[in-house]
Amino acid sequence: MLEDGELTRAENGTPQGGSISPLLANIYLHYVFDLWADKWRRQKGHGKVIIVRFADDIVVGFQSRTDAEQFQGELMERLRGFNMELHADKTRIIEFGRFAAEDREARGDGKPETFDFLGFTHICGKTRKGKFTVLRQTMRKKMQRKLEELKQELRKRMHRPISEVGKWLRIVLLGHYRYYGVPGNFRLLDAFRHHLRNHWRNILRRRSQRNRITWERMDRIATCWFPLPRIYHPYPEDRLRVTT
């Protein structure tokens, strides 16, 4: 699997100005990458090739490492022709998929590597029945960054009525659940709710020395305003199933 973290503009091989914007990425990459990659897949790929792109974030899956290495080399050459290049720190080839764990164990290697894409860490896992599945869990860095942003915003709203802040936090949580609510991610949904509740309690305790917010009272407040975690998205095989 080839994971292309981001594309950067380059001049003579030197990055200029950091990552290109999502809008420009979609305009340029439809021709620079999408059409070229589809042609490469049909003409040069020896096995199945799966391509997923969102703006300038790209993940490409291959059946063979040889295909992955050849694709990466030719992609780098093509991008140079458009004064672009792959982000060196975020582009890598990893062993991932249905047989990765068994193959690596047979060689005495560790567990398959994970990769981050669109806010999720993707992990080789198994269902309760022992079948292979891709586990998607909230990226730790993303969650920590979001919680820090919310903590700063809570400080600004310190003296607002609890009901007003509660309504706002309810919307925040529902939005978080609806994006990250995928099978296998319930524990981190609950962790996000737990940490957000603790941040809010700490802010409320600063408002007044006389009116301390006990854990019992905070639990009542959270029960009122914090919806419980929920898995909103079904497994892909259920979502894409066609009934006759």
Side-chain angles (χ1 to χ4, degrees), residues 36-104:
W36 174 84
D38 183 62
K39 183 178 180 180
W40 192 99
R41 170 171 51 188
R42 288 184 282 107
Q43 295 183 352
K44 296 185 178 181
H46 295 92
K48 291 183 179 180
V49 180
I50 300 173
I51 302 170
V52 181
R53 180 178 72 82
F54 183 84
D56 63 339
D57 288 331
I58 305 169
V59 172
V60 189
F62 303 89
Q63 279 189 295
S64 71
R65 187 178 187 90
T66 301
D67 274 357
E69 293 173 345
Q70 181 181 350
F71 182 90
Q72 182 181 26
E74 294 185 21
L75 175 59
M76 293 172 67
E77 181 178 350
R78 177 169 177 80
L79 292 177
R80 280 194 291 269
F82 294 87
N83 289 328
M84 301 172 70
E85 61 183 15
L86 297 175
H87 195 299
D89 296 332
K90 297 183 179 180
T91 302
R92 60 196 176 120
I93 296 177
I94 65 172
E95 191 173 11
F96 192 94
R98 187 180 304 276
F99 306 109
E102 295 178 3
D103 291 345
R104 292 178 66 85

Side-chain angles (χ1 to χ4, degrees), residues 21 31 62 68 94 107 128-129 148 155 223 235:
S21 71
Y31 172 73
F62 303 89
I94 65 172
R107 298 195 305 266
R128 294 179 179 178
K129 296 182 179 180
E148 182 60 30
R155 288 175 179 170
T223 299
Y235 283 100

Side-chain angles (χ1 to χ4, degrees), residues 46 92 117 144 231:
H46 295 92
R92 60 196 176 120
F117 188 59
Q144 292 170 359
I231 301 301

